Amino acid sequence: MKTIGLTLLLLLTGCSAIQDAPYIKETLAYGEFTELNSLDTAVEKNLMLRLYKVPSHDHSCGIETEQACNYVYTLSVSTFDEHPEVNTYSLGTGYITDIAWLNEDAVDTVKLQYTMKSYSDSATPPTEQRVEQHVISVTPKTLIQLR
Protein backbone atom coordinates (compact mmCIF):
# COMPACT_ATOMS: atom_id res chain seq x y z
CA MET A 1 0.00 0.00 0.00
CA LYS A 2 2.86 2.38 0.85
CA THR A 3 4.48 1.61 -2.52
CA ILE A 4 1.29 2.49 -4.38
CA GLY A 5 0.94 5.72 -2.42
CA LEU A 6 4.56 6.70 -3.09
CA THR A 7 4.19 5.90 -6.80
CA LEU A 8 1.02 7.99 -7.01
CA LEU A 9 2.73 10.88 -5.22
CA LEU A 10 5.70 10.78 -7.63
CA LEU A 11 3.37 10.63 -10.62
CA LEU A 12 1.37 13.63 -9.43
CA THR A 13 4.56 15.56 -8.69
CA GLY A 14 5.82 14.87 -12.21
CA CYS A 15 2.52 15.98 -13.73
CA SER A 16 2.53 19.21 -11.77
CA ALA A 17 6.06 20.00 -12.95
CA ILE A 18 4.88 19.76 -16.56
CA GLN A 19 2.21 22.38 -15.83
CA ASP A 20 4.98 24.88 -14.94
CA ALA A 21 6.49 24.54 -18.42
CA PRO A 22 3.50 24.95 -20.77
CA TYR A 23 5.48 24.41 -23.98
CA ILE A 24 7.39 21.29 -22.92
CA LYS A 25 4.84 18.92 -24.47
CA GLU A 26 4.75 20.87 -27.73
CA THR A 27 8.55 21.09 -27.85
CA LEU A 28 8.90 17.34 -27.41
CA ALA A 29 6.06 16.52 -29.81
CA TYR A 30 6.66 18.82 -32.78
CA GLY A 31 9.24 21.46 -31.92
CA GLU A 32 11.88 22.24 -34.50
CA PHE A 33 15.48 22.45 -33.40
CA THR A 34 18.68 23.84 -34.82
CA GLU A 35 22.11 22.55 -33.83
CA LEU A 36 23.92 25.81 -33.09
CA ASN A 37 27.34 24.12 -33.10
CA SER A 38 27.21 23.89 -36.89
CA LEU A 39 26.70 27.65 -37.41
CA ASP A 40 30.24 29.01 -37.30
CA THR A 41 33.24 26.74 -37.83
CA ALA A 42 35.72 29.51 -36.91
CA VAL A 43 34.65 29.52 -33.25
CA GLU A 44 35.78 26.63 -31.06
CA LYS A 45 32.79 24.88 -29.48
CA ASN A 46 33.19 23.48 -25.97
CA LEU A 47 29.44 23.06 -25.34
CA MET A 48 26.55 21.53 -27.29
CA LEU A 49 23.80 24.07 -28.00
CA ARG A 50 20.40 23.42 -29.55
CA LEU A 51 17.76 26.06 -30.21
CA TYR A 52 14.17 24.77 -30.11
CA LYS A 53 11.22 26.68 -31.51
CA VAL A 54 7.51 25.98 -31.09
CA PRO A 55 4.70 28.08 -32.58
CA SER A 56 3.16 30.23 -29.87
CA HIS A 57 -0.55 30.29 -29.24
CA ASP A 58 -0.72 34.06 -29.74
CA HIS A 59 -3.48 34.58 -32.31
CA SER A 60 -3.13 38.36 -32.55
CA CYS A 61 -1.92 38.22 -36.16
CA GLY A 62 -2.43 35.99 -39.17
CA ILE A 63 -6.01 35.27 -38.09
CA GLU A 64 -7.22 34.54 -41.63
CA THR A 65 -4.33 32.26 -42.52
CA GLU A 66 -3.79 30.73 -39.07
CA GLN A 67 -0.04 30.80 -39.66
CA ALA A 68 2.49 31.03 -36.87
CA CYS A 69 3.02 34.66 -35.95
CA ASN A 70 5.86 34.00 -33.56
CA TYR A 71 7.55 31.21 -31.70
CA VAL A 72 8.53 30.25 -28.17
CA TYR A 73 12.30 29.64 -28.07
CA THR A 74 14.19 27.36 -25.70
CA LEU A 75 17.96 26.93 -25.66
CA SER A 76 19.51 23.69 -24.38
CA VAL A 77 23.13 23.65 -23.24
CA SER A 78 25.27 20.66 -22.33
CA THR A 79 28.90 19.77 -21.85
CA PHE A 80 30.63 16.98 -23.76
CA ASP A 81 31.73 15.18 -20.56
CA GLU A 82 31.12 11.55 -19.65
CA HIS A 83 28.48 12.82 -17.20
CA PRO A 84 27.37 16.03 -18.94
CA GLU A 85 25.93 19.03 -17.17
CA VAL A 86 22.70 20.00 -18.91
CA ASN A 87 20.37 22.98 -18.67
CA THR A 88 17.66 24.76 -20.67
CA TYR A 89 16.81 28.44 -20.91
CA SER A 90 13.80 30.29 -22.25
CA LEU A 91 14.76 32.97 -24.76
CA GLY A 92 11.22 34.30 -24.94
CA THR A 93 8.59 34.65 -27.63
CA GLY A 94 9.12 36.24 -31.02
CA TYR A 95 10.98 35.38 -34.20
CA ILE A 96 14.77 34.96 -34.21
CA THR A 97 16.08 36.18 -37.56
CA ASP A 98 19.78 35.52 -37.07
CA ILE A 99 22.06 34.06 -34.44
CA ALA A 100 25.84 34.00 -34.23
CA TRP A 101 28.56 32.63 -31.96
CA LEU A 102 30.94 35.20 -30.49
CA ASN A 103 34.43 34.40 -29.20
CA GLU A 104 34.52 33.64 -25.49
CA ASP A 105 37.63 32.81 -23.45
CA ALA A 106 35.89 31.40 -20.36
CA VAL A 107 35.77 27.63 -19.89
CA ASP A 108 32.41 25.95 -20.58
CA THR A 109 30.88 29.27 -21.62
CA VAL A 110 29.40 30.35 -24.94
CA LYS A 111 28.53 33.87 -26.00
CA LEU A 112 25.72 34.27 -28.55
CA GLN A 113 24.28 37.27 -30.35
CA TYR A 114 20.81 37.10 -31.86
CA THR A 115 18.09 39.33 -33.24
CA MET A 116 14.54 38.80 -32.00
CA LYS A 117 11.57 40.33 -33.82
CA SER A 118 8.15 40.41 -32.23
CA TYR A 119 6.56 38.66 -35.25
CA SER A 120 7.77 36.54 -38.18
CA ASP A 121 8.34 38.20 -41.54
CA SER A 122 5.53 36.20 -43.17
CA ALA A 123 2.96 37.20 -40.53
CA THR A 124 0.93 40.35 -40.75
CA PRO A 125 2.89 42.48 -38.26
CA PRO A 126 1.37 45.10 -36.03
CA THR A 127 1.94 48.73 -36.97
CA GLU A 128 5.22 48.72 -35.05
CA GLN A 129 7.38 45.61 -35.29
CA ARG A 130 9.68 45.39 -32.25
CA VAL A 131 13.25 44.32 -33.07
CA GLU A 132 15.75 43.65 -30.26
CA GLN A 133 19.43 42.70 -30.32
CA HIS A 134 20.53 40.31 -27.57
CA VAL A 135 23.94 39.13 -26.45
CA ILE A 136 23.91 36.30 -23.93
CA SER A 137 26.60 34.28 -22.23
CA VAL A 138 25.60 30.68 -21.54
CA THR A 139 26.98 27.90 -19.36
CA PRO A 140 25.26 24.68 -18.29
CA LYS A 141 24.70 26.43 -14.94
CA THR A 142 23.58 30.01 -15.76
CA LEU A 143 22.34 32.33 -18.47
CA ILE A 144 23.62 35.90 -18.37
CA GLN A 145 21.82 38.55 -20.42
CA LEU A 146 24.58 40.90 -21.52
CA ARG A 147 22.49 43.33 -23.58
Side-chain angles (χ1 to χ4, degrees):
M1 186 66 175
K2 289 181 183 181
T3 306
I4 293 173
L6 181 61
T7 304
L8 185 59
L9 178 65
L10 291 174
L11 179 64
L12 292 175
T13 303
C15 291
S16 67
I18 290 174
Q19 298 297 329
D20 294 337
Y23 287 96
I24 190 72
K25 291 179 187 176
E26 288 88 348
T27 300
L28 293 172
Y30 58 87
E32 297 176 36
F33 77 91
T34 303
E35 295 258 353
L36 297 183
N37 288 51
S38 61
L39 288 182
D40 189 354
T41 56
V43 177
E44 183 181 345
K45 317 297 193 301
N46 56 3
L47 296 173
M48 170 60 79
L49 271 70
R50 289 184 175 159
L51 181 67
Y52 295 86
K53 75 176 188 178
V54 176
S56 74
H57 301 295
D58 176 18
H59 299 291
S60 62
C61 70
I63 296 170
E64 295 84 17
T65 61
E66 295 188 20
Q67 64 186 353
C69 297
N70 48 29
Y71 297 86
V72 176
Y73 287 93
T74 304
L75 181 68
S76 69
V77 182
S78 68
T79 60
F80 290 114
D81 303 337
E82 184 177 337
H83 301 285
E85 293 182 54
V86 179
N87 213 338
T88 59
Y89 303 99
S90 173
L91 297 184
T93 302
Y95 185 72
I96 292 180
T97 57
D98 60 322
I99 190 163
W101 287 70
L102 302 176
N103 286 319
E104 177 64 60
D105 294 331
V107 176
D108 285 345
T109 303
V110 170
K111 190 183 289 187
L112 296 173
Q113 178 178 358
Y114 64 95
T115 303
M116 175 86 80
K117 292 184 174 183
S118 52
Y119 295 95
S120 68
D121 293 333
S122 62
T124 306
T127 54
E128 292 187 28
Q129 171 90 302
R130 190 178 71 250
V131 179
E132 299 173 349
Q133 284 280 344
H134 297 274
V135 177
I136 57 173
S137 189
V138 180
T139 72
K141 297 178 182 178
T142 59
L143 170 87
I144 303 164
Q145 190 80 28
L146 299 175
R147 92 180 125 125

